[in-house]
Amino acid sequence: MDARLKEQFETNGYVVLKQLFNEEEAVLLKAEAKRVLEKNGVDKSGVYVGMAVASPAFKEAAAHPVLANALGQIIGDHVLFLSDKVVFKSASTDFGSPWHQDYPYWHGSHKFSVWIALDNAVPENGCLRIVPGSHHEDVEHADFTGREEGFTNRLRDEDIDPGRIVDLIASRGDAIIFHDLLFHASHPNSSGEERWALISTYKDGTLEDPDYGWAKAAFRVDGPSKQNA
Ligand SMILES: O=C(O)CCC(=O)C(=O)O
């Protein structure tokens, strides 16, 4: 593992893990995502939460040793997997995600998401776009509640400096770990081809999140190795 990973993450708010999954593994994950969605009667593009609950393949993917190692360097010894989702842009649906940070959706302790390309991703089919270092900046989110296309919290376009935007071109199987304050968006998919991505989210399990119903009573319990230390 690259010893500079944590430093890069702290500076830029993201790191890229090239070929976390190889081509064949990424193709299998996409096929499994399609199977899960079909089984649940989903046939249109969008965002679908709960892949690791629906399929052991995604649970295993979320705990990939190389990913777990990288997350451990960034988050610490208590990496907690929270949830995952697939973002599916079909050949006929071309929505791009608007500029936003994830923090206003998650609240509480900081969360760390991993965007994994299940198709090669380029600007024409909706690759991820980010502003390096923006997780250190203080910016107000605009409330877009009630808008049909979702994303109730967004950044204003005028708060994004076009000169600092980086398009993250990714090959199938590449993974991008990013901070929940990083400004990010995605291009619309104008390619006429599908673009699938898997996004898994993690946090430091020692930090409380009292805003979450399920986590109101959550706190860290040390196992025997810590108690005897
Ligand atoms: O894959 C994409 O289009 C971006 C999705 C995204 O930014 C998000 O779900 O926070």
Tab-separated table of all heavy atoms in Angstrom, residues 47 85 87-89 95-98 100-102 105-106 113 115 126-129 151 178 184-187 195-199, ligand 1:
chain	number	residue	atom	x	y	z
A	47	VAL	N	-30.981	5.237	-8.741
A	47	VAL	CA	-30.087	4.905	-7.627
A	47	VAL	C	-30.783	3.848	-6.782
A	47	VAL	O	-31.939	4.032	-6.388
A	47	VAL	CB	-29.835	6.176	-6.778
A	47	VAL	CG1	-28.972	5.851	-5.570
A	47	VAL	CG2	-29.178	7.267	-7.623
A	85	LYS	N	-24.942	1.401	-2.708
A	85	LYS	CA	-25.980	1.613	-3.722
A	85	LYS	C	-25.355	1.485	-5.099
A	85	LYS	O	-24.139	1.646	-5.249
A	85	LYS	CB	-26.612	2.999	-3.560
A	85	LYS	CG	-25.636	4.149	-3.709
A	85	LYS	CD	-26.273	5.487	-3.360
A	85	LYS	CE	-25.296	6.625	-3.569
A	85	LYS	NZ	-25.782	7.922	-3.161
A	87	VAL	N	-25.558	3.164	-8.905
A	87	VAL	CA	-26.084	4.301	-9.672
A	87	VAL	C	-26.030	3.872	-11.132
A	87	VAL	O	-24.967	3.619	-11.683
A	87	VAL	CB	-25.244	5.580	-9.460
A	87	VAL	CG1	-25.886	6.750	-10.201
A	87	VAL	CG2	-25.130	5.909	-7.981
A	88	PHE	N	-27.208	3.745	-11.698
A	88	PHE	CA	-27.361	3.149	-13.020
A	88	PHE	C	-27.884	4.204	-13.988
A	88	PHE	O	-28.985	4.717	-13.818
A	88	PHE	CB	-28.331	1.967	-12.872
A	88	PHE	CG	-28.957	1.463	-14.131
A	88	PHE	CD1	-28.270	1.455	-15.341
A	88	PHE	CD2	-30.243	0.960	-14.113
A	88	PHE	CE1	-28.852	0.981	-16.499
A	88	PHE	CE2	-30.843	0.477	-15.255
A	88	PHE	CZ	-30.143	0.486	-16.449
A	89	LYS	N	-27.061	4.542	-14.960
A	89	LYS	CA	-27.512	5.454	-16.021
A	89	LYS	C	-27.652	4.618	-17.278
A	89	LYS	O	-26.683	4.020	-17.727
A	89	LYS	CB	-26.487	6.555	-16.252
A	89	LYS	CG	-26.267	7.406	-15.028
A	89	LYS	CD	-25.249	8.484	-15.297
A	89	LYS	CE	-25.023	9.277	-14.019
A	89	LYS	NZ	-24.136	10.407	-14.205
A	95	PHE	N	-29.304	11.522	-17.017
A	95	PHE	CA	-29.142	12.471	-15.918
A	95	PHE	C	-27.691	12.529	-15.420
A	95	PHE	O	-27.005	11.518	-15.350
A	95	PHE	CB	-30.089	12.141	-14.753
A	95	PHE	CG	-29.699	10.905	-13.979
A	95	PHE	CD1	-28.901	11.004	-12.845
A	95	PHE	CD2	-30.123	9.644	-14.363
A	95	PHE	CE1	-28.541	9.872	-12.130
A	95	PHE	CE2	-29.765	8.513	-13.661
A	95	PHE	CZ	-28.965	8.617	-12.539
A	96	GLY	N	-27.258	13.735	-15.100
A	96	GLY	CA	-25.969	13.896	-14.431
A	96	GLY	C	-26.272	14.311	-13.001
A	96	GLY	O	-27.323	14.897	-12.743
A	97	SER	N	-25.398	13.980	-12.059
A	97	SER	CA	-25.641	14.422	-10.684
A	97	SER	C	-25.143	15.847	-10.554
A	97	SER	O	-24.051	16.166	-11.029
A	97	SER	CB	-24.905	13.518	-9.700
A	97	SER	OG	-25.298	12.183	-9.908
A	98	PRO	N	-25.937	16.728	-9.900
A	98	PRO	CA	-25.505	18.125	-9.741
A	98	PRO	C	-24.359	18.245	-8.733
A	98	PRO	O	-24.110	17.297	-7.967
A	98	PRO	CB	-26.763	18.800	-9.204
A	98	PRO	CG	-27.514	17.712	-8.519
A	98	PRO	CD	-27.209	16.445	-9.254
A	100	HIS	N	-22.570	18.739	-5.466
A	100	HIS	CA	-23.031	18.623	-4.080
A	100	HIS	C	-21.913	18.060	-3.217
A	100	HIS	O	-20.875	17.631	-3.720
A	100	HIS	CB	-24.267	17.710	-3.991
A	100	HIS	CG	-24.002	16.272	-4.352
A	100	HIS	ND1	-23.847	15.837	-5.653
A	100	HIS	CD2	-23.842	15.172	-3.577
A	100	HIS	CE1	-23.609	14.538	-5.656
A	100	HIS	NE2	-23.593	14.098	-4.406
A	101	GLN	N	-22.139	18.118	-1.905
A	101	GLN	CA	-21.325	17.376	-0.937
A	101	GLN	C	-22.253	16.325	-0.341
A	101	GLN	O	-23.472	16.519	-0.297
A	101	GLN	CB	-20.848	18.307	0.187
A	101	GLN	CG	-19.918	19.418	-0.260
A	101	GLN	CD	-19.768	20.464	0.828
A	101	GLN	OE1	-20.768	21.053	1.264
A	101	GLN	NE2	-18.558	20.715	1.264
A	102	ASP	N	-21.700	15.237	0.164
A	102	ASP	CA	-22.557	14.208	0.760
A	102	ASP	C	-22.911	14.535	2.216
A	102	ASP	O	-23.915	14.054	2.732
A	102	ASP	CB	-21.878	12.830	0.691
A	102	ASP	CG	-21.852	12.288	-0.738
A	102	ASP	OD1	-22.651	12.769	-1.570
A	102	ASP	OD2	-21.033	11.394	-1.012
A	105	TYR	N	-26.378	15.272	3.562
A	105	TYR	CA	-27.296	14.122	3.561
A	105	TYR	C	-27.041	13.204	4.752
A	105	TYR	O	-27.955	12.643	5.327
A	105	TYR	CB	-27.138	13.315	2.260
A	105	TYR	CG	-27.522	14.107	1.034
A	105	TYR	CD1	-26.556	14.772	0.284
A	105	TYR	CD2	-28.855	14.233	0.659
A	105	TYR	CE1	-26.913	15.519	-0.829
A	105	TYR	CE2	-29.221	14.983	-0.443
A	105	TYR	CZ	-28.241	15.617	-1.179
A	105	TYR	OH	-28.598	16.370	-2.271
A	106	TRP	N	-25.742	13.071	5.113
A	106	TRP	CA	-25.385	12.106	6.150
A	106	TRP	C	-25.410	12.699	7.563
A	106	TRP	O	-25.751	12.033	8.519
A	106	TRP	CB	-23.967	11.566	5.902
A	106	TRP	CG	-23.824	10.662	4.724
A	106	TRP	CD1	-23.222	10.961	3.539
A	106	TRP	CD2	-24.253	9.300	4.605
A	106	TRP	NE1	-23.258	9.867	2.709
A	106	TRP	CE2	-23.872	8.843	3.336
A	106	TRP	CE3	-24.920	8.421	5.478
A	106	TRP	CZ2	-24.146	7.542	2.901
A	106	TRP	CZ3	-25.182	7.128	5.040
A	106	TRP	CH2	-24.807	6.713	3.766
A	113	SER	N	-16.967	7.652	1.175
A	113	SER	CA	-17.613	6.811	0.163
A	113	SER	C	-16.598	6.335	-0.859
A	113	SER	O	-15.589	6.996	-1.115
A	113	SER	CB	-18.744	7.582	-0.524
A	113	SER	OG	-19.814	7.733	0.381
A	115	TRP	N	-16.514	5.163	-4.734
A	115	TRP	CA	-17.226	5.110	-6.033
A	115	TRP	C	-16.467	4.121	-6.906
A	115	TRP	O	-15.281	4.321	-7.191
A	115	TRP	CB	-17.230	6.504	-6.633
A	115	TRP	CG	-18.052	6.702	-7.868
A	115	TRP	CD1	-19.302	7.239	-7.934
A	115	TRP	CD2	-17.663	6.414	-9.227
A	115	TRP	NE1	-19.718	7.284	-9.245
A	115	TRP	CE2	-18.733	6.785	-10.054
A	115	TRP	CE3	-16.522	5.868	-9.806
A	115	TRP	CZ2	-18.702	6.646	-11.434
A	115	TRP	CZ3	-16.480	5.717	-11.192
A	115	TRP	CH2	-17.567	6.110	-11.988
A	126	GLY	N	-20.765	9.968	-18.324
A	126	GLY	CA	-21.147	10.342	-16.956
A	126	GLY	C	-20.129	10.029	-15.892
A	126	GLY	O	-20.490	9.619	-14.784
A	127	CYS	N	-18.834	10.240	-16.163
A	127	CYS	CA	-17.832	9.987	-15.116
A	127	CYS	C	-17.974	11.003	-13.976
A	127	CYS	O	-18.636	12.041	-14.119
A	127	CYS	CB	-16.410	10.000	-15.689
A	127	CYS	SG	-15.790	11.624	-16.127
A	128	LEU	N	-17.341	10.658	-12.875
A	128	LEU	CA	-17.380	11.512	-11.685
A	128	LEU	C	-16.501	12.744	-11.917
A	128	LEU	O	-15.471	12.670	-12.580
A	128	LEU	CB	-16.833	10.693	-10.505
A	128	LEU	CG	-17.215	11.126	-9.101
A	128	LEU	CD1	-18.727	11.061	-8.895
A	128	LEU	CD2	-16.529	10.206	-8.075
A	129	ARG	N	-16.923	13.882	-11.368
A	129	ARG	CA	-16.153	15.126	-11.443
A	129	ARG	C	-15.952	15.611	-10.007
A	129	ARG	O	-16.886	15.530	-9.202
A	129	ARG	CB	-16.925	16.217	-12.196
A	129	ARG	CG	-17.756	15.720	-13.333
A	129	ARG	CD	-18.369	16.857	-14.114
A	129	ARG	NE	-17.321	17.556	-14.856
A	129	ARG	CZ	-17.466	18.765	-15.393
A	129	ARG	NH1	-18.604	19.431	-15.235
A	129	ARG	NH2	-16.481	19.330	-16.055
A	151	PHE	N	-31.696	15.086	-5.159
A	151	PHE	CA	-30.587	15.924	-4.696
A	151	PHE	C	-31.120	17.221	-4.063
A	151	PHE	O	-30.992	18.306	-4.618
A	151	PHE	CB	-29.598	16.236	-5.834
A	151	PHE	CG	-28.714	15.081	-6.174
A	151	PHE	CD1	-29.032	14.236	-7.222
A	151	PHE	CD2	-27.576	14.828	-5.437
A	151	PHE	CE1	-28.231	13.141	-7.518
A	151	PHE	CE2	-26.756	13.740	-5.730
A	151	PHE	CZ	-27.093	12.902	-6.774
A	178	PHE	N	-13.660	8.967	-1.424
A	178	PHE	CA	-13.743	10.426	-1.247
A	178	PHE	C	-14.441	10.816	0.056
A	178	PHE	O	-15.271	10.092	0.591
A	178	PHE	CB	-14.360	11.115	-2.478
A	178	PHE	CG	-15.794	10.763	-2.755
A	178	PHE	CD1	-16.825	11.583	-2.314
A	178	PHE	CD2	-16.125	9.616	-3.464
A	178	PHE	CE1	-18.154	11.281	-2.575
A	178	PHE	CE2	-17.453	9.295	-3.739
A	178	PHE	CZ	-18.455	10.126	-3.290
A	184	HIS	N	-18.518	17.290	-5.477
A	184	HIS	CA	-18.513	16.346	-6.596
A	184	HIS	C	-19.826	16.384	-7.362
A	184	HIS	O	-20.845	16.870	-6.867
A	184	HIS	CB	-18.162	14.923	-6.138
A	184	HIS	CG	-19.163	14.305	-5.207
A	184	HIS	ND1	-19.308	14.667	-3.883
A	184	HIS	CD2	-20.077	13.324	-5.420
A	184	HIS	CE1	-20.259	13.946	-3.320
A	184	HIS	NE2	-20.748	13.126	-4.232
A	185	ALA	N	-19.749	15.875	-8.583
A	185	ALA	CA	-20.901	15.838	-9.500
A	185	ALA	C	-20.604	14.743	-10.507
A	185	ALA	O	-19.557	14.092	-10.428
A	185	ALA	CB	-21.039	17.190	-10.216
A	186	SER	N	-21.514	14.534	-11.444
A	186	SER	CA	-21.144	13.648	-12.554
A	186	SER	C	-21.718	14.238	-13.834
A	186	SER	O	-22.718	14.958	-13.822
A	186	SER	CB	-21.615	12.214	-12.332
A	186	SER	OG	-23.017	12.157	-12.328
A	187	HIS	N	-21.041	13.927	-14.925
A	187	HIS	CA	-21.512	14.358	-16.242
A	187	HIS	C	-22.804	13.619	-16.586
A	187	HIS	O	-22.981	12.469	-16.173
A	187	HIS	CB	-20.479	13.983	-17.310
A	187	HIS	CG	-19.329	14.925	-17.404
A	187	HIS	ND1	-19.438	16.160	-18.003
A	187	HIS	CD2	-18.040	14.803	-17.008
A	187	HIS	CE1	-18.253	16.754	-17.975
A	187	HIS	NE2	-17.396	15.968	-17.361
A	195	ARG	N	-24.040	3.250	-18.055
A	195	ARG	CA	-22.948	3.566	-17.118
A	195	ARG	C	-23.390	3.182	-15.733
A	195	ARG	O	-24.289	3.792	-15.159
A	195	ARG	CB	-22.582	5.052	-17.177
A	195	ARG	CG	-21.224	5.326	-16.518
A	195	ARG	CD	-21.268	6.373	-15.400
A	195	ARG	NE	-22.080	5.962	-14.259
A	195	ARG	CZ	-22.280	6.725	-13.190
A	195	ARG	NH1	-21.760	7.923	-13.121
A	195	ARG	NH2	-23.035	6.289	-12.176
A	196	TRP	N	-22.754	2.141	-15.189
A	196	TRP	CA	-23.083	1.670	-13.845
A	196	TRP	C	-21.925	1.973	-12.906
A	196	TRP	O	-20.760	1.823	-13.282
A	196	TRP	CB	-23.294	0.163	-13.838
A	196	TRP	CG	-24.553	-0.319	-14.495
A	196	TRP	CD1	-24.863	-0.235	-15.822
A	196	TRP	CD2	-25.669	-0.958	-13.866
A	196	TRP	NE1	-26.084	-0.790	-16.061
A	196	TRP	CE2	-26.601	-1.247	-14.879
A	196	TRP	CE3	-25.960	-1.320	-12.555
A	196	TRP	CZ2	-27.815	-1.884	-14.615
A	196	TRP	CZ3	-27.169	-1.954	-12.290
A	196	TRP	CH2	-28.085	-2.216	-13.301
A	197	ALA	N	-22.265	2.366	-11.679
A	197	ALA	CA	-21.242	2.533	-10.639
A	197	ALA	C	-21.811	2.004	-9.327
A	197	ALA	O	-23.030	2.011	-9.116
A	197	ALA	CB	-20.867	4.004	-10.494
A	198	LEU	N	-20.913	1.535	-8.485
A	198	LEU	CA	-21.293	1.058	-7.141
A	198	LEU	C	-20.691	2.048	-6.146
A	198	LEU	O	-19.523	2.418	-6.281
A	198	LEU	CB	-20.677	-0.331	-6.929
A	198	LEU	CG	-20.754	-0.923	-5.522
A	198	LEU	CD1	-22.192	-1.255	-5.139
A	198	LEU	CD2	-19.894	-2.202	-5.440
A	199	ILE	N	-21.488	2.513	-5.185
A	199	ILE	CA	-20.953	3.427	-4.170
A	199	ILE	C	-21.197	2.819	-2.794
A	199	ILE	O	-22.344	2.568	-2.409
A	199	ILE	CB	-21.609	4.824	-4.245
A	199	ILE	CG1	-21.531	5.390	-5.671
A	199	ILE	CG2	-20.943	5.778	-3.257
A	199	ILE	CD1	-22.181	6.762	-5.831
B	1	LIG	O1	-22.343	8.233	-10.001
B	1	LIG	C1	-22.777	9.368	-10.064
B	1	LIG	O2	-23.360	9.786	-11.059
B	1	LIG	C2	-22.578	10.304	-8.901
B	1	LIG	C3	-23.417	9.917	-7.741
B	1	LIG	C4	-23.208	10.818	-6.572
B	1	LIG	O3	-22.564	11.827	-6.644
B	1	LIG	C5	-23.780	10.484	-5.284
B	1	LIG	O4	-24.591	9.555	-5.206
B	1	LIG	O5	-23.436	11.177	-4.289
